[in-house]
Amino acid sequence: MALRDRLSTDSRSVDDSDDLVTKFKARLLEEVDLEEVTDLDLPKRRARLERVLARVLSFEGPVMSSRERGRLIQRIVDDTVGLGVLEGLLADETVTEIMVNGYRDVFVERRGRIERVPTAFASEAQLYQTIDRIVSSVNRRVDESSPMVDARLATGERVNVIIPPLAMDGPTLTIRRFPQPFRMGDLVARGTIDEPLALLLAAMVRARCNVLVSGGTGSGKTTFLNALSGMIPDGERIVTIEDAAELSLQQPHVVRLESRPANVEGQGAVTIRDLVRNSLRMRPDRIVVGEVRGGETLDMLQAMNTGHEGSLTTVHANGAAEALGRLETLASMTDLALPVETLRDQINGAIDVVVQLERGADGSRRVSEVHAVTSSRREAFRTEALTELAPAPFGAPAGTPPTFRHLVLPGTLRDRLLRAGEAVPQQFADAARPSEVPR
Ligand SMILES: Nc1ncnc2c1ncn2[C@@H]1O[C@H](COP(=O)(O)OP(=O)(O)O)[C@@H](O)[C@H]1O
Ligand SMILES: [Mg+2]
């Protein structure tokens, strides 16, 4: 969506009809299945879209002269056919990645799964035309002398193009869309988390607890990490470290680092681990690592233990307790000689809370459990639930979402929040020991 809007304003002067273009383009896409019309040749496709749009505008459009209307139709149709097959895919919010392998093969990633799109480009020329439109919007070009382009568009998408003879099967285009930057309030509105839990986690982040977000692929870890990072107070120096910069923090003092793969000669790689180590010399207050997958895990744990409390990261695991075991495995990849007890010591010392995310069959994302780590030093991992999901009661209508059940905070965690001047939401407070800020 944003990419298409960007292209439309790039190639034409901006005027106050932009809102109309956006609105009626959306209406047009509701009326017409773009995949269906890509079978038509370009003039027929245009004619079809113009007809539908003229009808929609005559019923729903504002009063305008026929010349104005003609111009508006022109602009919208230009935009709509501009990126061919990609238009419909970019308009589809569930698509996170678009992969074009030559003009006949288009794949998309939806909810972490790759699927083939039934319609592709009409010809190689059409694909080249689309690629040109995209890369010229960021003042780049693709041709024999520069057969590879990797660019980030002004709207945030990352685009990579590589063409023959380097790509053997035709021009290859990869567009990575980044998850929407939901804020914590949006997640409450979507039922991913409830308000008391959001308040508790915000208090924990302010109180510099180290939080680990865990979940499967596409369960919303990065999105949640972004929302959680939004709770870090302004004025703290935050360093974010990612493979592909997906986080979008709003605070004024953020340094964003992105790793880099090796070049074609196999040189020049900069890993997440390199960046974590470098970040320690940058006087960060907080380090936010997009996801730990390997060697960086041990460095991240050490950072969390030594002066960078309140750091955040995510890990791929199926449960809050399992997430700690997963960290142990990942951390041992750096240094196989480290005894297990040492790793446990690091993890017990570093991680305060694990937030587990789950993707529902209906596409919703939910916090399925939140556990505090209560084991210490070299002990085997022990966690205590702060929030669990309670299934909808027996007899409730089908599709009723589960509800969040909150439990009393372990005393150490409660005391830590109180010491930091944070209040404990009443749902997590022990009625017998009312939580109040000590004087
Ligand atoms: N709470 C949520 N509600 C609805 N959709 C979400 C939510 N969190 C993430 N998504 C969507 O799910 C997809 C994957 O999210 P992402 O945060 O990248 O997951 P992960 O990092 O676990 O792979 C994105 O398209 C994102 O917009
Ligand atoms: Mg992610």
Side-chain angles (χ1 to χ4, degrees), residues 417-434:
L417 291 179
L418 296 182
R419 269 202 312 278
E422 298 292 340
V424 173
Q426 164 250 321
Q427 287 82 351
F428 296 92
D430 182 352
R433 293 184 58 187

mmCIF file with all atom_site columns, all heavy atoms in Angstrom, residues 417-434:
data_model
loop_
_atom_site.group_PDB
_atom_site.id
_atom_site.type_symbol
_atom_site.label_atom_id
_atom_site.label_alt_id
_atom_site.label_comp_id
_atom_site.label_asym_id
_atom_site.label_entity_id
_atom_site.label_seq_id
_atom_site.pdbx_PDB_ins_code
_atom_site.Cartn_x
_atom_site.Cartn_y
_atom_site.Cartn_z
_atom_site.occupancy
_atom_site.B_iso_or_equiv
_atom_site.pdbx_formal_charge
_atom_site.auth_seq_id
_atom_site.auth_comp_id
_atom_site.auth_asym_id
_atom_site.auth_atom_id
_atom_site.pdbx_PDB_model_num
ATOM 1   N N   . LEU A 1 417 ? 9.904  -4.051  41.499 1.00 0.00 ? 417 LEU A N   1
ATOM 2   C CA  . LEU A 1 417 ? 9.091  -3.002  40.866 1.00 0.00 ? 417 LEU A CA  1
ATOM 3   C C   . LEU A 1 417 ? 8.861  -1.856  41.843 1.00 0.00 ? 417 LEU A C   1
ATOM 4   O O   . LEU A 1 417 ? 8.987  -0.685  41.490 1.00 0.00 ? 417 LEU A O   1
ATOM 5   C CB  . LEU A 1 417 ? 7.748  -3.573  40.394 1.00 0.00 ? 417 LEU A CB  1
ATOM 6   C CG  . LEU A 1 417 ? 7.824  -4.542  39.208 1.00 0.00 ? 417 LEU A CG  1
ATOM 7   C CD1 . LEU A 1 417 ? 6.441  -5.054  38.840 1.00 0.00 ? 417 LEU A CD1 1
ATOM 8   C CD2 . LEU A 1 417 ? 8.476  -3.864  38.004 1.00 0.00 ? 417 LEU A CD2 1
ATOM 9   N N   . LEU A 1 418 ? 8.527  -2.210  43.084 1.00 0.00 ? 418 LEU A N   1
ATOM 10  C CA  . LEU A 1 418 ? 8.244  -1.168  44.070 1.00 0.00 ? 418 LEU A CA  1
ATOM 11  C C   . LEU A 1 418 ? 9.488  -0.316  44.327 1.00 0.00 ? 418 LEU A C   1
ATOM 12  O O   . LEU A 1 418 ? 9.405  0.911   44.419 1.00 0.00 ? 418 LEU A O   1
ATOM 13  C CB  . LEU A 1 418 ? 7.744  -1.790  45.379 1.00 0.00 ? 418 LEU A CB  1
ATOM 14  C CG  . LEU A 1 418 ? 6.409  -2.549  45.273 1.00 0.00 ? 418 LEU A CG  1
ATOM 15  C CD1 . LEU A 1 418 ? 5.991  -3.087  46.625 1.00 0.00 ? 418 LEU A CD1 1
ATOM 16  C CD2 . LEU A 1 418 ? 5.308  -1.661  44.688 1.00 0.00 ? 418 LEU A CD2 1
ATOM 17  N N   . ARG A 1 419 ? 10.621 -0.978  44.408 1.00 0.00 ? 419 ARG A N   1
ATOM 18  C CA  . ARG A 1 419 ? 11.871 -0.227  44.632 1.00 0.00 ? 419 ARG A CA  1
ATOM 19  C C   . ARG A 1 419 ? 12.143 0.757   43.503 1.00 0.00 ? 419 ARG A C   1
ATOM 20  O O   . ARG A 1 419 ? 12.688 1.825   43.705 1.00 0.00 ? 419 ARG A O   1
ATOM 21  C CB  . ARG A 1 419 ? 13.060 -1.187  44.758 1.00 0.00 ? 419 ARG A CB  1
ATOM 22  C CG  . ARG A 1 419 ? 13.361 -1.623  46.175 1.00 0.00 ? 419 ARG A CG  1
ATOM 23  C CD  . ARG A 1 419 ? 14.800 -2.100  46.325 1.00 0.00 ? 419 ARG A CD  1
ATOM 24  N NE  . ARG A 1 419 ? 15.195 -3.045  45.298 1.00 0.00 ? 419 ARG A NE  1
ATOM 25  C CZ  . ARG A 1 419 ? 14.920 -4.351  45.321 1.00 0.00 ? 419 ARG A CZ  1
ATOM 26  N NH1 . ARG A 1 419 ? 14.253 -4.869  46.335 1.00 0.00 ? 419 ARG A NH1 1
ATOM 27  N NH2 . ARG A 1 419 ? 15.299 -5.148  44.338 1.00 0.00 ? 419 ARG A NH2 1
ATOM 28  N N   . ALA A 1 420 ? 11.717 0.364   42.275 1.00 0.00 ? 420 ALA A N   1
ATOM 29  C CA  . ALA A 1 420 ? 11.941 1.252   41.132 1.00 0.00 ? 420 ALA A CA  1
ATOM 30  C C   . ALA A 1 420 ? 10.864 2.326   41.047 1.00 0.00 ? 420 ALA A C   1
ATOM 31  O O   . ALA A 1 420 ? 10.816 3.095   40.091 1.00 0.00 ? 420 ALA A O   1
ATOM 32  C CB  . ALA A 1 420 ? 11.976 0.433   39.844 1.00 0.00 ? 420 ALA A CB  1
ATOM 33  N N   . GLY A 1 421 ? 9.971  2.335   42.039 1.00 0.00 ? 421 GLY A N   1
ATOM 34  C CA  . GLY A 1 421 ? 8.935  3.369   42.042 1.00 0.00 ? 421 GLY A CA  1
ATOM 35  C C   . GLY A 1 421 ? 7.762  3.031   41.144 1.00 0.00 ? 421 GLY A C   1
ATOM 36  O O   . GLY A 1 421 ? 6.962  3.902   40.794 1.00 0.00 ? 421 GLY A O   1
ATOM 37  N N   . GLU A 1 422 ? 7.627  1.777   40.762 1.00 0.00 ? 422 GLU A N   1
ATOM 38  C CA  . GLU A 1 422 ? 6.508  1.363   39.914 1.00 0.00 ? 422 GLU A CA  1
ATOM 39  C C   . GLU A 1 422 ? 5.405  0.764   40.779 1.00 0.00 ? 422 GLU A C   1
ATOM 40  O O   . GLU A 1 422 ? 5.679  0.137   41.792 1.00 0.00 ? 422 GLU A O   1
ATOM 41  C CB  . GLU A 1 422 ? 6.972  0.302   38.907 1.00 0.00 ? 422 GLU A CB  1
ATOM 42  C CG  . GLU A 1 422 ? 8.043  0.784   37.949 1.00 0.00 ? 422 GLU A CG  1
ATOM 43  C CD  . GLU A 1 422 ? 7.518  1.843   36.981 1.00 0.00 ? 422 GLU A CD  1
ATOM 44  O OE1 . GLU A 1 422 ? 6.283  1.935   36.791 1.00 0.00 ? 422 GLU A OE1 1
ATOM 45  O OE2 . GLU A 1 422 ? 8.339  2.596   36.425 1.00 0.00 ? 422 GLU A OE2 1
ATOM 46  N N   . ALA A 1 423 ? 4.167  0.939   40.346 1.00 0.00 ? 423 ALA A N   1
ATOM 47  C CA  . ALA A 1 423 ? 3.053  0.313   41.051 1.00 0.00 ? 423 ALA A CA  1
ATOM 48  C C   . ALA A 1 423 ? 2.794  -1.057  40.425 1.00 0.00 ? 423 ALA A C   1
ATOM 49  O O   . ALA A 1 423 ? 3.049  -1.267  39.247 1.00 0.00 ? 423 ALA A O   1
ATOM 50  C CB  . ALA A 1 423 ? 1.813  1.186   40.935 1.00 0.00 ? 423 ALA A CB  1
ATOM 51  N N   . VAL A 1 424 ? 2.322  -1.992  41.214 1.00 0.00 ? 424 VAL A N   1
ATOM 52  C CA  . VAL A 1 424 ? 1.953  -3.304  40.695 1.00 0.00 ? 424 VAL A CA  1
ATOM 53  C C   . VAL A 1 424 ? 0.455  -3.281  40.397 1.00 0.00 ? 424 VAL A C   1
ATOM 54  O O   . VAL A 1 424 ? -0.338 -2.994  41.289 1.00 0.00 ? 424 VAL A O   1
ATOM 55  C CB  . VAL A 1 424 ? 2.272  -4.409  41.728 1.00 0.00 ? 424 VAL A CB  1
ATOM 56  C CG1 . VAL A 1 424 ? 1.735  -5.751  41.250 1.00 0.00 ? 424 VAL A CG1 1
ATOM 57  C CG2 . VAL A 1 424 ? 3.765  -4.477  41.980 1.00 0.00 ? 424 VAL A CG2 1
ATOM 58  N N   . PRO A 1 425 ? 0.068  -3.539  39.134 1.00 0.00 ? 425 PRO A N   1
ATOM 59  C CA  . PRO A 1 425 ? -1.371 -3.537  38.854 1.00 0.00 ? 425 PRO A CA  1
ATOM 60  C C   . PRO A 1 425 ? -2.089 -4.496  39.811 1.00 0.00 ? 425 PRO A C   1
ATOM 61  O O   . PRO A 1 425 ? -1.564 -5.565  40.127 1.00 0.00 ? 425 PRO A O   1
ATOM 62  C CB  . PRO A 1 425 ? -1.455 -4.030  37.412 1.00 0.00 ? 425 PRO A CB  1
ATOM 63  C CG  . PRO A 1 425 ? -0.116 -3.741  36.814 1.00 0.00 ? 425 PRO A CG  1
ATOM 64  C CD  . PRO A 1 425 ? 0.863  -3.845  37.942 1.00 0.00 ? 425 PRO A CD  1
ATOM 65  N N   . GLN A 1 426 ? -3.249 -4.074  40.249 1.00 0.00 ? 426 GLN A N   1
ATOM 66  C CA  . GLN A 1 426 ? -3.954 -4.780  41.310 1.00 0.00 ? 426 GLN A CA  1
ATOM 67  C C   . GLN A 1 426 ? -4.195 -6.264  40.972 1.00 0.00 ? 426 GLN A C   1
ATOM 68  O O   . GLN A 1 426 ? -4.166 -7.117  41.841 1.00 0.00 ? 426 GLN A O   1
ATOM 69  C CB  . GLN A 1 426 ? -5.259 -3.999  41.550 1.00 0.00 ? 426 GLN A CB  1
ATOM 70  C CG  . GLN A 1 426 ? -6.353 -4.658  42.316 1.00 0.00 ? 426 GLN A CG  1
ATOM 71  C CD  . GLN A 1 426 ? -7.513 -4.981  41.391 1.00 0.00 ? 426 GLN A CD  1
ATOM 72  O OE1 . GLN A 1 426 ? -7.847 -4.189  40.511 1.00 0.00 ? 426 GLN A OE1 1
ATOM 73  N NE2 . GLN A 1 426 ? -8.107 -6.150  41.586 1.00 0.00 ? 426 GLN A NE2 1
ATOM 74  N N   . GLN A 1 427 ? -4.350 -6.573  39.660 1.00 0.00 ? 427 GLN A N   1
ATOM 75  C CA  . GLN A 1 427 ? -4.587 -7.969  39.254 1.00 0.00 ? 427 GLN A CA  1
ATOM 76  C C   . GLN A 1 427 ? -3.415 -8.881  39.610 1.00 0.00 ? 427 GLN A C   1
ATOM 77  O O   . GLN A 1 427 ? -3.563 -10.096 39.655 1.00 0.00 ? 427 GLN A O   1
ATOM 78  C CB  . GLN A 1 427 ? -4.815 -8.058  37.735 1.00 0.00 ? 427 GLN A CB  1
ATOM 79  C CG  . GLN A 1 427 ? -6.145 -7.523  37.272 1.00 0.00 ? 427 GLN A CG  1
ATOM 80  C CD  . GLN A 1 427 ? -6.141 -5.999  37.120 1.00 0.00 ? 427 GLN A CD  1
ATOM 81  O OE1 . GLN A 1 427 ? -5.194 -5.316  37.515 1.00 0.00 ? 427 GLN A OE1 1
ATOM 82  N NE2 . GLN A 1 427 ? -7.216 -5.467  36.578 1.00 0.00 ? 427 GLN A NE2 1
ATOM 83  N N   . PHE A 1 428 ? -2.238 -8.295  39.812 1.00 0.00 ? 428 PHE A N   1
ATOM 84  C CA  . PHE A 1 428 ? -1.061 -9.114  40.102 1.00 0.00 ? 428 PHE A CA  1
ATOM 85  C C   . PHE A 1 428 ? -0.635 -8.980  41.568 1.00 0.00 ? 428 PHE A C   1
ATOM 86  O O   . PHE A 1 428 ? 0.397  -9.502  41.968 1.00 0.00 ? 428 PHE A O   1
ATOM 87  C CB  . PHE A 1 428 ? 0.115  -8.684  39.216 1.00 0.00 ? 428 PHE A CB  1
ATOM 88  C CG  . PHE A 1 428 ? -0.136 -8.921  37.758 1.00 0.00 ? 428 PHE A CG  1
ATOM 89  C CD1 . PHE A 1 428 ? -0.690 -7.921  36.964 1.00 0.00 ? 428 PHE A CD1 1
ATOM 90  C CD2 . PHE A 1 428 ? 0.153  -10.149 37.186 1.00 0.00 ? 428 PHE A CD2 1
ATOM 91  C CE1 . PHE A 1 428 ? -0.937 -8.134  35.623 1.00 0.00 ? 428 PHE A CE1 1
ATOM 92  C CE2 . PHE A 1 428 ? -0.092 -10.374 35.840 1.00 0.00 ? 428 PHE A CE2 1
ATOM 93  C CZ  . PHE A 1 428 ? -0.641 -9.360  35.054 1.00 0.00 ? 428 PHE A CZ  1
ATOM 94  N N   . ALA A 1 429 ? -1.400 -8.201  42.333 1.00 0.00 ? 429 ALA A N   1
ATOM 95  C CA  . ALA A 1 429 ? -1.000 -7.922  43.706 1.00 0.00 ? 429 ALA A CA  1
ATOM 96  C C   . ALA A 1 429 ? -1.638 -8.946  44.638 1.00 0.00 ? 429 ALA A C   1
ATOM 97  O O   . ALA A 1 429 ? -2.736 -9.426  44.399 1.00 0.00 ? 429 ALA A O   1
ATOM 98  C CB  . ALA A 1 429 ? -1.416 -6.511  44.097 1.00 0.00 ? 429 ALA A CB  1
ATOM 99  N N   . ASP A 1 430 ? -0.923 -9.270  45.674 1.00 0.00 ? 430 ASP A N   1
ATOM 100 C CA  . ASP A 1 430 ? -1.441 -10.160 46.700 1.00 0.00 ? 430 ASP A CA  1
ATOM 101 C C   . ASP A 1 430 ? -2.364 -9.334  47.595 1.00 0.00 ? 430 ASP A C   1
ATOM 102 O O   . ASP A 1 430 ? -1.942 -8.354  48.200 1.00 0.00 ? 430 ASP A O   1
ATOM 103 C CB  . ASP A 1 430 ? -0.238 -10.698 47.496 1.00 0.00 ? 430 ASP A CB  1
ATOM 104 C CG  . ASP A 1 430 ? -0.687 -11.679 48.560 1.00 0.00 ? 430 ASP A CG  1
ATOM 105 O OD1 . ASP A 1 430 ? -1.906 -11.819 48.762 1.00 0.00 ? 430 ASP A OD1 1
ATOM 106 O OD2 . ASP A 1 430 ? 0.206  -12.290 49.182 1.00 0.00 ? 430 ASP A OD2 1
ATOM 107 N N   . ALA A 1 431 ? -3.642 -9.758  47.654 1.00 0.00 ? 431 ALA A N   1
ATOM 108 C CA  . ALA A 1 431 ? -4.615 -8.975  48.420 1.00 0.00 ? 431 ALA A CA  1
ATOM 109 C C   . ALA A 1 431 ? -4.162 -8.825  49.872 1.00 0.00 ? 431 ALA A C   1
ATOM 110 O O   . ALA A 1 431 ? -4.393 -7.799  50.502 1.00 0.00 ? 431 ALA A O   1
ATOM 111 C CB  . ALA A 1 431 ? -5.985 -9.630  48.349 1.00 0.00 ? 431 ALA A CB  1
ATOM 112 N N   . ALA A 1 432 ? -3.470 -9.872  50.373 1.00 0.00 ? 432 ALA A N   1
ATOM 113 C CA  . ALA A 1 432 ? -3.055 -9.832  51.775 1.00 0.00 ? 432 ALA A CA  1
ATOM 114 C C   . ALA A 1 432 ? -1.905 -8.849  51.992 1.00 0.00 ? 432 ALA A C   1
ATOM 115 O O   . ALA A 1 432 ? -1.687 -8.382  53.095 1.00 0.00 ? 432 ALA A O   1
ATOM 116 C CB  . ALA A 1 432 ? -2.635 -11.223 52.234 1.00 0.00 ? 432 ALA A CB  1
ATOM 117 N N   . ARG A 1 433 ? -1.160 -8.582  50.926 1.00 0.00 ? 433 ARG A N   1
ATOM 118 C CA  . ARG A 1 433 ? -0.035 -7.651  51.056 1.00 0.00 ? 433 ARG A CA  1
ATOM 119 C C   . ARG A 1 433 ? -0.176 -6.570  49.995 1.00 0.00 ? 433 ARG A C   1
ATOM 120 O O   . ARG A 1 433 ? 0.444  -6.649  48.952 1.00 0.00 ? 433 ARG A O   1
ATOM 121 C CB  . ARG A 1 433 ? 1.286  -8.392  50.849 1.00 0.00 ? 433 ARG A CB  1
ATOM 122 C CG  . ARG A 1 433 ? 1.578  -9.391  51.946 1.00 0.00 ? 433 ARG A CG  1
ATOM 123 C CD  . ARG A 1 433 ? 2.948  -10.000 51.727 1.00 0.00 ? 433 ARG A CD  1
ATOM 124 N NE  . ARG A 1 433 ? 3.997  -8.961  51.701 1.00 0.00 ? 433 ARG A NE  1
ATOM 125 C CZ  . ARG A 1 433 ? 5.259  -9.229  51.383 1.00 0.00 ? 433 ARG A CZ  1
ATOM 126 N NH1 . ARG A 1 433 ? 5.614  -10.437 51.036 1.00 0.00 ? 433 ARG A NH1 1
ATOM 127 N NH2 . ARG A 1 433 ? 6.152  -8.264  51.394 1.00 0.00 ? 433 ARG A NH2 1
ATOM 128 N N   . PRO A 1 434 ? -0.990 -5.584  50.272 1.00 0.00 ? 434 PRO A N   1
ATOM 129 C CA  . PRO A 1 434 ? -1.255 -4.574  49.257 1.00 0.00 ? 434 PRO A CA  1
ATOM 130 C C   . PRO A 1 434 ? 0.055  -3.941  48.781 1.00 0.00 ? 434 PRO A C   1
ATOM 131 O O   . PRO A 1 434 ? 0.937  -3.668  49.586 1.00 0.00 ? 434 PRO A O   1
ATOM 132 C CB  . PRO A 1 434 ? -2.139 -3.542  49.964 1.00 0.00 ? 434 PRO A CB  1
ATOM 133 C CG  . PRO A 1 434 ? -1.984 -3.806  51.422 1.00 0.00 ? 434 PRO A CG  1
ATOM 134 C CD  . PRO A 1 434 ? -1.614 -5.248  51.567 1.00 0.00 ? 434 PRO A CD  1
#
